Amino acid sequence: MTSYVSDPYSYADDDAYDDDDDDDDTGLRRQALAVDGLPDFDSGPPMDGSEYLRRVAYEARQMPNVMRAHVIDERAYTSVTESASTHSVVRDDEAHLAPPIWATPQREWTRRTVGDFSDLRVRITRTLAMRDSAHNSCAYPANHDRRGWQTLCESEHYPPLSAVLALDAVTCAYLLRHVSSKLHKFGYEYSASDADTDSISEITRLTRWFFAFSARVDLPLDADTSASIRSAMKGAARARMLTTSEHDPAIPHLNLAIAIGGDYFKQWKSSAVAIAE
């Protein structure tokens, strides 16, 4: 007795597929998840899935139905390939941005600082666990109000503990990324020879908010937040490298930020040295 097994790749239903294609001319560009409204590109990275989908849908609408690739110049491709192979060794950022001797922290200080910071995170976590989940002081912006929080960070030089406790995990991670990007940018614009009161005030403000958000952010860190902390470490390390004496008032703030981002979050190699006996 002969039996037949249906072929899952049979073309018997081709007509049905053709009818579907006639009804929907978008093909592979058909929107699978519907979202309403326009994306808000000015607010920074998307804070939730809906905003991400709005941006994807908007960008898809800007694409033509047919795209044509131009002929690639083989000489340019060869040049890029050779250049990539020549510079395949990744530069050691920590070695390149190593601090001068007067700005190098002591290993014991770094150990105590990281220990105290870890204890602070435990106390904040316990405090949050005892608070009402719906509690949020009206003195601070709502968690979804990113611009309001950014304005608060720019106007306040001393982060209030109550503000840190008012944040939810998503908003805190976003603000940590925001401050980290500012710290990175400041580090690559900083010049110790031209430093003035405003520059010192700015680096102090940024490192304080970096410390505050780092004390609140949930673990484990997501990939974007980890990368932003490392970029902040590059900026802080560069600013510290450019200091000209041990009396530079920016050094303690930069060392504190690097101790947290490097020794606690492991996004930078420690440059601390042991005390000579």
Side-chain angles (χ1 to χ4, degrees):
M1 181 176 179
T2 304
S3 62
Y4 297 93
V5 179
S6 60
D7 185 358
Y9 301 101
S10 172
Y11 295 95
D13 296 330
D14 279 354
D15 293 340
Y17 288 119
D18 291 341
D19 292 340
D20 292 341
D21 291 341
D22 292 339
D23 295 336
D24 185 3
D25 60 358
T26 57
L28 294 177
R29 297 180 60 192
R30 182 176 62 253
Q31 187 172 359
L33 300 174
V35 290
D36 298 326
L38 294 175
D40 183 11
F41 289 105
D42 295 332
S43 62
M47 288 284 285
D48 53 37
S50 296
E51 174 61 18
Y52 173 78
L53 290 174
R54 277 192 288 270
R55 298 188 184 191
V56 171
Y58 175 82
E59 293 173 356
R61 290 195 295 270
Q62 314 309 310
M63 301 296 292
N65 291 330
V66 177
M67 298 185 66
R68 178 176 299 172
H70 298 286
V71 177
I72 300 176
D73 188 343
E74 294 183 358
R75 293 172 298 176
Y77 177 78
T78 303
S79 176
V80 171
T81 304
E82 293 176 352
S83 176
S85 61
T86 302
H87 300 86
S88 59
V89 178
V90 178
R91 184 180 65 180
D92 187 347
D93 290 317
E94 284 85 344
H96 178 71
L97 300 174
I101 186 62
W102 56 77
T104 303
Q106 295 176 353
R107 190 173 301 164
E108 179 60 23
W109 173 87
T110 300
R111 187 190 65 79
R112 289 199 314 269
T113 298
V114 173
D116 292 343
F117 178 75
S118 180
D119 292 341
L120 174 62
R121 282 184 53 87
V122 171
R123 292 197 296 271
I124 289 178
T125 300
R126 290 175 178 171
T127 302
L128 289 170
M130 293 185 294
R131 288 166 63 93
D132 182 0
S133 59
H135 175 79
N136 188 5
S137 174
C138 60
Y140 303 112
N143 275 297
H144 65 269
D145 185 3
R146 301 186 218 171
R147 294 181 182 176
W149 279 103
Q150 291 176 15
T151 301
L152 178 67
C153 294
E154 293 170 0
S155 60
E156 293 285 345
H157 283 255
Y158 292 91
L161 177 60
S162 55
V164 175
L165 295 175
L167 290 168
D168 62 21
V170 174
T171 306
C172 181
Y174 166 77
L175 292 171
L176 178 56
R177 293 193 297 269
H178 172 73
V179 171
S180 294
S181 67
K182 295 290 185 181
L183 188 55
H184 175 268
K185 180 179 179 182
F186 181 88
Y188 277 83
E189 294 177 350
Y190 180 77
S191 174
S193 59
D194 298 331
D196 53 17
T197 303
D198 291 339
S199 297
I200 300 302
S201 177
E202 179 67 3
I203 193 63
T204 302
R205 180 186 67 82
L206 289 173
T207 52
R208 283 172 178 165
W209 279 105
F210 178 83
F211 182 93
F213 293 139
S214 296
R216 167 64 181 90
V217 71
D218 282 1
L219 295 178
L221 298 175
D222 60 81
D224 289 341
T225 305
S226 296
S228 68
I229 291 178
R230 179 164 179 81
S231 71
M233 295 300 95
K234 290 183 180 180
R238 184 182 184 279
R240 182 179 64 176
M241 180 185 68
L242 296 177
T243 58
T244 56
S245 76
E246 60 182 336
H247 303 294
D248 192 313
I251 292 177
H253 303 285
L254 295 170
N255 275 336
L256 176 60
I258 294 172
I260 300 307
D263 291 82
Y264 185 85
F265 290 120
K266 307 302 181 184
Q267 297 302 315
W268 198 255
K269 294 179 182 178
S270 177
S271 57
V273 297
I275 302 175
E277 298 181 356

Coordinates of all heavy atoms in Angstrom, one line a residue, residues 56-130:
V56 N 11.1 53.5 13.5 CA 11.3 52.6 12.4 C 10.3 52.8 11.3 O 10.6 52.8 10.1 CB 11.2 51.1 12.9 CG1 11.2 50.1 11.8 CG2 12.4 50.8 13.9
A57 N 9.0 52.9 11.7 CA 8.0 53.1 10.7 C 8.2 54.4 9.9 O 8.0 54.5 8.7 CB 6.6 53.2 11.3
Y58 N 8.6 55.5 10.6 CA 8.8 56.8 9.9 C 10.0 56.6 8.9 O 9.9 57.1 7.8 CB 9.2 57.8 10.9 CG 9.6 59.2 10.3 CD1 8.6 60.1 9.9 CD2 10.9 59.5 10.2 CE1 9.0 61.3 9.4 CE2 11.3 60.7 9.6 CZ 10.3 61.6 9.2 OH 10.7 62.8 8.6
E59 N 11.1 56.0 9.3 CA 12.2 55.8 8.4 C 11.9 54.9 7.2 O 12.3 55.1 6.1 CB 13.4 55.2 9.2 CG 14.0 56.2 10.2 CD 15.0 55.5 11.1 OE1 15.3 54.3 10.9 OE2 15.6 56.3 11.9
A60 N 11.0 53.9 7.5 CA 10.6 53.0 6.4 C 9.8 53.8 5.3 O 9.9 53.5 4.1 CB 9.8 51.9 6.9
R61 N 9.0 54.8 5.8 CA 8.2 55.6 4.9 C 9.0 56.5 4.0 O 8.6 56.9 2.9 CB 7.2 56.4 5.6 CG 6.0 55.6 6.2 CD 4.9 56.5 6.7 NE 5.3 57.4 7.7 CZ 5.2 57.1 9.0 NH1 4.7 56.0 9.4 NH2 5.5 58.0 9.9
Q62 N 10.3 56.8 4.4 CA 11.1 57.6 3.7 C 11.9 56.9 2.6 O 12.5 57.5 1.7 CB 12.2 58.3 4.6 CG 11.6 58.9 5.8 CD 10.4 59.8 5.6 OE1 10.5 60.7 4.8 NE2 9.3 59.6 6.3
M63 N 11.9 55.5 2.6 CA 12.6 54.7 1.7 C 11.8 54.5 0.4 O 10.6 54.4 0.4 CB 12.9 53.3 2.3 CG 13.7 53.4 3.6 SD 15.3 54.1 3.3 CE 16.1 52.8 2.3
P64 N 12.5 54.6 -0.7 CA 11.8 54.3 -2.0 C 11.4 52.9 -2.2 O 12.0 52.0 -1.5 CB 12.8 54.7 -3.1 CG 14.1 54.5 -2.4 CD 13.9 54.9 -0.9
N65 N 10.4 52.6 -3.0 CA 10.0 51.2 -3.2 C 11.1 50.3 -3.9 O 11.2 49.1 -3.6 CB 8.8 51.2 -4.1 CG 7.5 51.7 -3.4 OD1 7.4 51.6 -2.2 ND2 6.6 52.3 -4.2
V66 N 11.9 51.0 -4.7 CA 13.0 50.3 -5.4 C 14.3 51.0 -5.1 O 14.4 52.2 -5.3 CB 12.8 50.2 -6.9 CG1 13.9 49.5 -7.5 CG2 11.5 49.4 -7.2
M67 N 15.3 50.3 -4.6 CA 16.6 50.9 -4.4 C 17.6 50.2 -5.3 O 17.6 49.0 -5.5 CB 17.0 50.7 -2.9 CG 16.1 51.4 -1.9 SD 16.7 51.3 -0.2 CE 18.2 52.3 -0.3
R68 N 18.5 51.0 -5.8 CA 19.5 50.5 -6.8 C 20.9 50.8 -6.2 O 21.2 52.0 -5.8 CB 19.3 51.2 -8.1 CG 20.4 50.8 -9.2 CD 20.1 51.4 -10.5 NE 18.8 51.0 -11.0 CZ 18.2 51.5 -12.1 NH1 18.8 52.4 -12.8 NH2 17.0 51.0 -12.5
A69 N 21.8 49.8 -6.2 CA 23.1 50.0 -5.7 C 24.0 50.4 -6.9 O 24.0 49.8 -7.9 CB 23.6 48.7 -5.0
H70 N 24.8 51.4 -6.7 CA 25.7 51.9 -7.7 C 26.9 50.9 -7.7 O 27.3 50.3 -6.7 CB 26.2 53.3 -7.4 CG 25.0 54.3 -7.5 ND1 24.4 54.7 -8.6 CD2 24.4 54.9 -6.5 CE1 23.4 55.5 -8.3 NE2 23.4 55.7 -7.0
V71 N 27.6 50.9 -8.8 CA 28.8 50.1 -9.0 C 29.9 50.6 -8.1 O 30.2 51.8 -8.0 CB 29.3 50.1 -10.5 CG1 30.6 49.3 -10.6 CG2 28.2 49.5 -11.4
I72 N 30.4 49.7 -7.3 CA 31.5 50.1 -6.3 C 32.8 50.2 -7.0 O 33.2 49.3 -7.8 CB 31.5 49.1 -5.1 CG1 30.2 49.1 -4.4 CG2 32.6 49.5 -4.2 CD1 30.1 48.0 -3.3
D73 N 33.6 51.2 -6.7 CA 34.9 51.4 -7.3 C 35.8 50.3 -6.6 O 36.1 50.4 -5.4 CB 35.4 52.8 -7.0 CG 36.7 53.1 -7.7 OD1 37.4 52.1 -8.1 OD2 37.1 54.2 -7.9
E74 N 36.3 49.4 -7.3 CA 37.1 48.3 -6.7 C 38.4 48.9 -6.1 O 38.9 48.3 -5.1 CB 37.4 47.2 -7.7 CG 36.2 46.5 -8.2 CD 36.6 45.4 -9.2 OE1 37.8 45.3 -9.5 OE2 35.7 44.6 -9.6
R75 N 38.9 49.9 -6.7 CA 40.1 50.5 -6.1 C 39.9 51.1 -4.7 O 40.7 50.9 -3.8 CB 40.7 51.6 -7.1 CG 41.1 51.1 -8.4 CD 41.4 52.2 -9.3 NE 40.2 53.0 -9.6 CZ 40.2 54.2 -10.3 NH1 41.3 54.6 -10.8 NH2 39.1 54.8 -10.5
A76 N 38.8 51.7 -4.5 CA 38.5 52.3 -3.2 C 38.3 51.1 -2.2 O 38.7 51.2 -1.1 CB 37.2 53.1 -3.3
Y77 N 37.6 50.1 -2.6 CA 37.3 48.9 -1.8 C 38.7 48.3 -1.3 O 38.9 47.9 -0.2 CB 36.5 47.9 -2.5 CG 36.2 46.6 -1.7 CD1 35.3 46.6 -0.6 CD2 36.9 45.5 -1.9 CE1 35.1 45.5 0.1 CE2 36.7 44.3 -1.2 CZ 35.8 44.4 -0.1 OH 35.6 43.2 0.6
T78 N 39.6 48.1 -2.3 CA 40.9 47.6 -2.0 C 41.6 48.4 -1.0 O 42.3 48.0 -0.1 CB 41.7 47.4 -3.3 OG1 41.0 46.6 -4.2 CG2 43.1 46.8 -3.0
S79 N 41.5 49.8 -1.2 CA 42.2 50.7 -0.3 C 41.7 50.6 1.1 O 42.5 50.6 2.1 CB 42.1 52.1 -0.8 OG 42.7 53.0 0.1
V80 N 40.4 50.5 1.3 CA 39.8 50.4 2.6 C 40.2 49.1 3.3 O 40.5 49.0 4.5 CB 38.2 50.5 2.5 CG1 37.6 50.2 3.8 CG2 37.9 51.9 2.1
T81 N 40.2 48.0 2.5 CA 40.5 46.7 3.0 C 42.0 46.7 3.5 O 42.3 46.2 4.6 CB 40.3 45.6 2.0 OG1 39.0 45.7 1.5 CG2 40.6 44.2 2.5
E82 N 42.9 47.3 2.8 CA 44.3 47.3 3.2 C 44.5 48.1 4.4 O 45.2 47.8 5.3 CB 45.1 47.8 2.0 CG 45.2 46.9 0.8 CD 46.0 47.5 -0.3 OE1 46.3 48.7 -0.2 OE2 46.2 46.8 -1.3
S83 N 43.7 49.3 4.5 CA 43.8 50.2 5.6 C 43.3 49.5 6.9 O 43.9 49.6 7.9 CB 43.0 51.4 5.4 OG 43.1 52.3 6.5
A84 N 42.2 48.7 6.7 CA 41.7 48.0 7.9 C 42.7 47.0 8.4 O 42.8 46.8 9.6 CB 40.3 47.4 7.5
S85 N 43.3 46.2 7.5 CA 44.2 45.2 7.9 C 45.5 45.8 8.6 O 46.1 45.2 9.5 CB 44.6 44.3 6.7 OG 45.3 45.1 5.7
T86 N 45.9 47.0 8.1 CA 47.1 47.6 8.6 C 46.8 48.1 10.0 O 47.7 48.1 10.9 CB 47.5 48.8 7.7 OG1 47.7 48.3 6.4 CG2 48.8 49.5 8.2
H87 N 45.6 48.7 10.3 CA 45.3 49.2 11.6 C 44.4 48.3 12.4 O 43.5 48.8 13.1 CB 44.6 50.6 11.4 CG 45.5 51.6 10.7 ND1 45.5 51.7 9.3 CD2 46.4 52.5 11.2 CE1 46.4 52.6 9.0 NE2 46.9 53.1 10.1
S88 N 44.6 47.0 12.3 CA 43.7 46.1 12.9 C 43.9 46.0 14.4 O 43.1 45.5 15.2 CB 43.9 44.7 12.3 OG 45.2 44.2 12.5
V89 N 45.0 46.5 14.9 CA 45.3 46.4 16.3 C 44.5 47.6 17.0 O 44.7 48.7 16.7 CB 46.8 46.6 16.6 CG1 47.1 46.6 18.1 CG2 47.6 45.5 15.9
V90 N 43.7 47.2 18.0 CA 42.9 48.2 18.8 C 43.8 48.9 19.8 O 44.6 48.3 20.5 CB 41.8 47.5 19.5 CG1 41.0 48.5 20.3 CG2 40.9 46.8 18.5
R91 N 43.7 50.3 19.8 CA 44.5 51.0 20.7 C 44.1 50.8 22.1 O 42.9 50.8 22.4 CB 44.4 52.5 20.3 CG 45.3 53.4 21.2 CD 45.2 54.9 20.7 NE 43.8 55.3 21.0 CZ 43.4 56.6 20.8 NH1 44.3 57.4 20.1 NH2 42.2 57.0 21.1
D92 N 45.0 50.7 23.0 CA 44.7 50.6 24.4 C 44.4 52.0 25.0 O 45.3 52.8 25.2 CB 45.9 50.0 25.2 CG 45.6 49.7 26.6 OD1 44.6 50.2 27.1 OD2 46.4 49.0 27.3
D93 N 43.1 52.3 25.1 CA 42.7 53.6 25.6 C 43.2 53.9 27.0 O 43.6 55.1 27.2 CB 41.1 53.7 25.6 CG 40.6 53.7 24.2 OD1 41.1 54.4 23.3 OD2 39.6 53.0 23.9
E94 N 43.2 53.0 27.8 CA 43.7 53.2 29.2 C 45.1 53.6 29.2 O 45.5 54.5 30.0 CB 43.4 52.0 30.1 CG 42.0 51.7 30.5 CD 41.2 51.0 29.5 OE1 41.7 50.9 28.3 OE2 40.1 50.5 29.8
A95 N 46.0 53.0 28.4 CA 47.4 53.3 28.4 C 47.6 54.7 27.7 O 48.4 55.5 28.1 CB 48.2 52.3 27.6
H96 N 46.8 54.9 26.6 CA 46.9 56.2 25.9 C 46.5 57.4 26.7 O 47.0 58.5 26.6 CB 46.0 56.1 24.6 CG 46.1 57.4 23.8 ND1 47.2 57.8 23.1 CD2 45.1 58.3 23.6 CE1 46.9 59.0 22.5 NE2 45.6 59.3 22.8
L97 N 45.5 57.2 27.6 CA 45.0 58.3 28.5 C 45.4 58.1 29.9 O 44.7 58.5 30.8 CB 43.4 58.3 28.3 CG 42.9 58.5 26.9 CD1 41.4 58.4 26.9 CD2 43.3 59.9 26.4
A98 N 46.5 57.5 30.1 CA 47.0 57.3 31.5 C 47.3 58.6 32.2 O 47.7 59.6 31.6 CB 48.3 56.5 31.5
P99 N 47.0 58.7 33.5 CA 47.1 60.0 34.2 C 48.6 60.3 34.5 O 49.4 59.4 34.7 CB 46.3 59.7 35.5 CG 46.5 58.3 35.8 CD 46.5 57.6 34.4
P100 N 48.9 61.6 34.7 CA 50.2 61.9 35.2 C 50.4 61.5 36.6 O 49.4 61.2 37.3 CB 50.3 63.5 35.0 CG 48.8 63.9 35.0 CD 48.1 62.8 34.4
I101 N 51.6 61.5 37.1 CA 51.8 61.0 38.4 C 51.1 61.7 39.5 O 50.6 61.1 40.5 CB 53.4 61.0 38.7 CG1 53.7 60.3 40.1 CG2 53.9 62.4 38.7 CD1 53.3 58.8 40.1
W102 N 50.9 63.1 39.3 CA 50.3 63.9 40.4 C 48.7 63.6 40.4 O 48.1 64.0 41.4 CB 50.6 65.3 40.2 CG 50.2 65.9 38.8 CD1 48.9 66.2 38.4 CD2 51.1 66.1 37.8 NE1 49.0 66.6 37.1 CE2 50.3 66.5 36.7 CE3 52.5 66.0 37.6 CZ2 50.9 66.9 35.4 CZ3 53.0 66.3 36.4 CH2 52.2 66.8 35.3
A103 N 48.2 63.0 39.3 CA 46.8 62.8 39.3 C 46.4 61.3 39.5 O 45.2 61.0 39.4 CB 46.2 63.3 37.9
T104 N 47.4 60.5 39.7 CA 47.1 59.1 39.9 C 46.7 58.8 41.3 O 47.3 59.1 42.3 CB 48.4 58.3 39.6 OG1 48.9 58.6 38.3 CG2 48.1 56.8 39.7
P105 N 45.5 58.2 41.5 CA 45.0 57.9 42.8 C 45.7 56.8 43.5 O 46.3 55.9 42.8 CB 43.5 57.6 42.6 CG 43.5 57.0 41.2 CD 44.6 57.7 40.4
Q106 N 45.6 56.7 44.8 CA 46.2 55.6 45.5 C 45.3 54.5 45.6 O 44.1 54.6 45.6 CB 46.6 56.1 47.0 CG 47.6 57.2 47.0 CD 47.9 57.6 48.5 OE1 47.1 57.3 49.4 NE2 48.9 58.5 48.6
R107 N 45.8 53.3 45.5 CA 45.0 52.1 45.5 C 44.1 51.9 46.7 O 42.9 51.5 46.5 CB 45.9 50.8 45.3 CG 45.2 49.5 45.0 CD 46.2 48.4 44.7 NE 47.0 48.8 43.6 CZ 48.2 48.2 43.3 NH1 48.6 47.2 44.1 NH2 48.9 48.6 42.3
E108 N 44.6 52.3 47.8 CA 43.8 52.1 49.1 C 42.6 53.1 49.0 O 41.5 52.8 49.4 CB 44.7 52.4 50.3 CG 43.9 52.4 51.6 CD 43.3 51.0 51.9 OE1 43.8 50.0 51.3 OE2 42.3 50.9 52.7
W109 N 42.8 54.3 48.5 CA 41.7 55.3 48.4 C 40.7 54.8 47.4 O 39.5 54.9 47.7 CB 42.3 56.6 47.8 CG 41.2 57.6 47.5 CD1 40.6 58.5 48.4 CD2 40.5 57.8 46.3 NE1 39.6 59.2 47.7 CE2 39.5 58.8 46.4 CE3 40.7 57.2 45.0 CZ2 38.7 59.2 45.4 CZ3 39.9 57.6 44.0 CH2 38.9 58.6 44.2
T110 N 41.1 54.2 46.3 CA 40.2 53.6 45.3 C 39.4 52.5 45.9 O 38.1 52.4 45.8 CB 40.9 53.1 44.1 OG1 41.6 54.2 43.5 CG2 39.9 52.6 43.1
R111 N 40.0 51.6 46.7 CA 39.3 50.5 47.3 C 38.3 51.0 48.3 O 37.1 50.5 48.3 CB 40.3 49.6 48.0 CG 39.8 48.3 48.6 CD 40.7 47.6 49.5 NE 41.0 48.4 50.7 CZ 40.2 48.4 51.7 NH1 39.1 47.8 51.7 NH2 40.6 49.2 52.8
R112 N 38.6 52.0 49.1 CA 37.7 52.5 50.1 C 36.5 53.2 49.4 O 35.3 53.1 49.8 CB 38.4 53.5 51.1 CG 39.3 52.8 52.1 CD 39.6 53.7 53.2 NE 39.9 55.1 52.8 CZ 41.1 55.6 52.5 NH1 42.1 54.8 52.7 NH2 41.3 56.8 52.2
T113 N 36.8 54.0 48.4 CA 35.8 54.7 47.6 C 34.8 53.8 47.0 O 33.6 54.0 47.1 CB 36.4 55.6 46.5 OG1 37.3 56.5 47.2 CG2 35.4 56.3 45.7
V114 N 35.3 52.7 46.4 CA 34.4 51.7 45.7 C 33.5 51.0 46.8 O 32.3 50.7 46.6 CB 35.2 50.7 44.9 CG1 34.3 49.6 44.4 CG2 35.8 51.5 43.7
G115 N 34.2 50.7 47.9 CA 33.4 50.0 49.0 C 32.3 50.9 49.6 O 31.2 50.5 49.8
D116 N 32.6 52.2 49.8 CA 31.6 53.1 50.3 C 30.5 53.3 49.3 O 29.3 53.4 49.6 CB 32.3 54.5 50.6 CG 33.2 54.4 51.8 OD1 33.1 53.5 52.6 OD2 34.0 55.4 51.9
F117 N 30.9 53.3 48.0 CA 29.9 53.5 47.0 C 28.9 52.3 46.9 O 27.7 52.4 46.7 CB 30.6 53.7 45.6 CG 29.6 53.8 44.4 CD1 28.9 55.0 44.2 CD2 29.4 52.7 43.6 CE1 28.0 55.1 43.2 CE2 28.6 52.8 42.5 CZ 27.9 54.0 42.3
S118 N 29.5 51.1 47.1 CA 28.7 49.9 47.1 C 27.7 49.9 48.3 O 26.6 49.5 48.1 CB 29.6 48.7 47.2 OG 28.9 47.5 47.2
D119 N 28.2 50.3 49.4 CA 27.3 50.4 50.6 C 26.2 51.4 50.3 O 25.0 51.2 50.7 CB 28.1 50.9 51.8 CG 29.1 49.8 52.3 OD1 28.9 48.6 51.9 OD2 30.0 50.1 53.0
L120 N 26.5 52.5 49.7 CA 25.5 53.5 49.3 C 24.4 53.0 48.4 O 23.2 53.2 48.6 CB 26.1 54.8 48.7 CG 25.2 55.8 48.1 CD1 24.4 56.4 49.3 CD2 26.0 56.9 47.4
R121 N 24.8 52.2 47.5 CA 23.8 51.6 46.6 C 22.9 50.6 47.3 O 21.7 50.5 47.1 CB 24.6 50.8 45.4 CG 25.1 51.7 44.3 CD 25.7 50.9 43.2 NE 24.8 49.8 42.7 CZ 23.9 50.0 41.8 NH1 23.8 51.2 41.2 NH2 23.1 49.0 41.4
V122 N 23.5 49.9 48.3 CA 22.6 49.0 49.1 C 21.6 49.8 49.9 O 20.4 49.4 50.0 CB 23.5 48.2 50.0 CG1 22.7 47.4 51.0 CG2 24.4 47.2 49.2
R123 N 22.0 50.9 50.5 CA 21.1 51.7 51.3 C 20.0 52.3 50.4 O 18.8 52.4 50.8 CB 21.9 52.8 52.0 CG 22.8 52.3 53.1 CD 23.2 53.4 54.1 NE 24.0 54.4 53.4 CZ 25.3 54.4 53.3 NH1 26.0 53.4 53.8 NH2 25.9 55.4 52.7
I124 N 20.4 52.8 49.2 CA 19.4 53.3 48.3 C 18.4 52.2 47.9 O 17.2 52.5 47.8 CB 20.1 53.9 47.1 CG1 20.8 55.2 47.5 CG2 19.1 54.2 45.9 CD1 21.5 55.9 46.3
T125 N 18.9 51.0 47.6 CA 18.0 49.9 47.2 C 17.0 49.6 48.3 O 15.8 49.4 48.1 CB 18.8 48.7 46.9 OG1 19.7 49.0 45.8 CG2 17.9 47.5 46.5
R126 N 17.5 49.6 49.6 CA 16.6 49.3 50.7 C 15.6 50.4 50.9 O 14.4 50.2 51.2 CB 17.4 49.1 52.0 CG 18.3 47.9 52.0 CD 19.2 47.8 53.2 NE 19.9 46.6 53.2 CZ 20.9 46.3 54.1 NH1 21.3 47.3 55.0 NH2 21.6 45.2 54.1
T127 N 16.0 51.7 50.7 CA 15.1 52.8 50.8 C 14.0 52.7 49.8 O 12.8 52.9 50.0 CB 15.8 54.1 50.7 OG1 16.8 54.2 51.7 CG2 14.9 55.3 50.9
L128 N 14.4 52.4 48.5 CA 13.4 52.3 47.4 C 12.4 51.1 47.7 O 11.2 51.2 47.4 CB 14.1 52.0 46.1 CG 14.9 53.2 45.5 CD1 15.7 52.7 44.4 CD2 13.9 54.3 45.1
A129 N 12.9 50.0 48.3 CA 12.0 48.9 48.6 C 11.0 49.3 49.7 O 9.8 48.7 49.7 CB 12.8 47.7 49.1
M130 N 11.2 50.2 50.5 CA 10.3 50.6 51.6 C 9.4 51.7 51.1 O 8.4 52.0 51.8 CB 11.1 51.1 52.8 CG 11.9 49.9 53.5 SD 12.6 50.5 55.1 CE 13.8 51.7 54.5

